[in-house]
C-alpha cells in the first residue's frame, strides 16, 4: 500500500502528516484520520494502510505539530502498565493546550488539503478518530457539515462535545465506546443527546473493552474489538462515500 509523508499548510505553520492510499492512483474518497493522544507511530501507519486497502485516501495529520514534528514524543515500542503514567504525564499538557479553537482552525486546513490531493475524488469525505482524536473528528464534522459525510470515534470522549456541537452534525456517525469509559446509564444519556440533536448514528459499548482497545502497541489492545471497529467503520464509509 503506497504511503508518503506530507506537510499541510495551516494558519499557524505546517503540520506534518502521513498519507496512505491505493496503488492504482485513484481517485478515491478521502478520509481524515485523527490518531489517539499518543500520536502518529507505526501502529497508526498500519491502521491507515488497512483503511486505505478498502479504497480510501487516508490522511493522518500530526495535530500536535505546534510542539514539533513526529515523533513529538519518544515512545516505548509497547505502552504497558509501567510505561503509561509517564507517557500520559507528557501527553496530557499537549492535549489540554489543543483548544477547540485550535482544533477548528486546523480542521479547515486539513480538509482543504485533503480535497486538493490528486488521488482524492471530489465530494464529501469521512472523518474518524481514536481517543482524543475521536473528539477532534466530532468537532470537525460539526464545523464542516457540507464537507463531512461520515464521522466515527472509538474509545473517544464524544460526550465532551456537547449538544450544541451535536446539533450541527449532518454526517452519519458511529461511536464505539470502551466498557471502562462509561456506564450503560451514561451511554443512554449520551445517545439521548445525539438523538435529540438529530444525529443519525449508532453509539454502543464494545463488550469487555477498556480504553484504547484499538491500539495494538498498548496493553489495552483487544483484537476482537479492533475487528468490530473495522466491521462498523468500513460499511459506514461505504454507505456515506459512494464510489464514482
Amino acid at each position: 500500500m503506497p504511503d508518503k509523508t506530507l506537510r499541510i499548510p495551516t494558519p499557524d505553520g505546517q503540520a506534518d502528516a502521513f498519507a496512505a492510499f491505493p496503488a492504482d492512483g485513484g481517485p478515491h474518497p478521502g478520509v481524515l484520520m485523527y490518531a489517539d493522544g499518543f500520536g502518529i507511530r507505526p501502529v497508526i501507519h498500519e491502521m491507515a494502510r488497512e483503511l486505505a486497502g478498502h479504497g480510501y485516501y487516508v490522511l493522518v495529520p500530526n495535530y500536535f505539530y505546534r510542539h514539533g514534528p513526529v515523533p513529538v514524543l519518544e515512545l516505548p515500542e509497547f505502552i504497558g502498565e509501567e510505561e503509561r503514567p509517564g507517557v500520559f504525564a507528557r501527553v496530557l499538557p499537549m492535549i489540554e493546550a489543543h483548544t477547540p479553537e485550535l482544533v477548528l482552525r486546523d480542521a479547515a486546513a486539513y480538509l482543504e488539503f485533503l480535497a486538493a490531493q490528486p488521488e482524492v475524488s471530489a465530494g464529501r469525505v469521512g472523518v474518524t478518530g481514536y481517543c482524543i482524536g475521536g473528539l477532534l473528528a466530532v468537532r470537525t464534522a460539526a464545523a464542516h457539515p457540507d464537507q463531512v459525510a461520515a464521522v466515527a470515534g472509538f474509545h473517544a470522549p464524544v460526550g465532551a462535545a456537547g449538544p450544541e456541537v451535536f446539533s450541527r452534525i449532518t454526517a452519519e456517525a458511529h461511536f464505539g465506546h470502551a466498557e471502562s469509559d462509561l456506564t450503560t446509564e451514561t451511554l443512554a444519556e449520551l445517545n439521548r443527546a445525539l438523538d435529540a440533536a438529530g444525529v443519525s448514528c449508532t453509539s454502543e459499548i464494545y463488550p469487555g473493552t477498556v480504553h484504547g482497545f484499538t491500539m495494538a502497541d498498548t496493553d489495552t489492545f483487544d483484537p476482537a474489538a479492533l475487528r468490530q471497529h473495522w466491521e462498523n467503520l468500513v460499511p459506514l464509509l461505504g454507505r456515506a462515500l459512494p464510489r464514482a
Side-chain angles (χ1 to χ4, degrees):
M1 192 63 55
D3 60 60
K4 57 186 171 182
T5 300
L6 301 165
R7 298 186 69 82
I8 305 173
T10 79
D12 297 325
Q14 289 194 327
D16 50 312
F18 177 82
F21 44 92
D24 62 10
H28 295 279
V31 177
L32 178 63
M33 176 184 284
Y34 288 111
D36 64 351
F38 297 152
I40 300 175
R41 56 200 193 281
V43 69
I44 297 295
H45 293 169
E46 289 307 312
M47 293 179 76
R49 292 187 188 106
E50 174 78 16
L51 185 54
H54 291 278
Y56 300 98
Y57 183 103
V58 184
L59 178 68
V60 191
N62 169 26
Y63 54 83
F64 288 144
Y65 69 91
R66 293 176 181 85
H67 302 272
V70 173
V72 181
L73 298 174
E74 292 294 338
L75 297 172
E77 290 186 8
F78 184 80
I79 301 171
E81 184 177 355
E82 292 185 3
E83 296 82 7
R84 190 174 299 275
V87 174
F88 268 118
R90 291 179 290 154
V91 167
L92 284 176
M94 296 193 299
I95 292 176
E96 292 169 354
H98 199 52
T99 64
E101 292 75 20
L102 294 182
V103 171
L104 297 186
R105 201 151 72 211
D106 289 345
Y110 299 157
L111 290 173
E112 180 180 2
F113 184 87
L114 179 60
Q117 300 312 296
E119 302 94 343
V120 175
S121 56
R124 298 167 79 194
V125 302
V127 185
T128 187
Y130 304 87
C131 181
I132 190 64
L135 179 57
L136 305 191
V138 169
R139 294 192 185 282
T140 298
H144 300 276
D146 57 329
Q147 293 174 265
V148 179
V151 60
F154 300 91
H155 47 87
V158 174
E164 193 277 329
V165 171
F166 295 158
S167 69
R168 291 185 274 118
I169 294 175
T170 60
E172 183 181 351
H174 173 77
F175 303 120
H177 309 284
E179 193 171 89
S180 67
D181 282 347
L182 73 177
T183 64
T184 55
E185 292 78 12
T186 305
L187 174 67
E189 182 179 348
L190 171 63
N191 289 351
R192 283 193 294 271
L194 290 164
D195 186 62
V199 180
S200 174
C201 74
T202 55
S203 174
E204 60 186 350
I205 292 172
Y206 286 18
T209 55
V210 295
H211 185 78
F213 59 77
T214 59
M215 297 295 145
D217 62 350
T218 75
D219 60 357
T220 61
F221 177 55
D222 185 322
L226 177 64
R227 288 194 298 272
Q228 185 177 355
H229 140 279
W230 290 122
E231 289 166 1
N232 283 298
L233 178 59
V234 173
L236 169 69
L237 296 173
R239 291 190 301 272
L241 307 177
R243 300 300 193 274

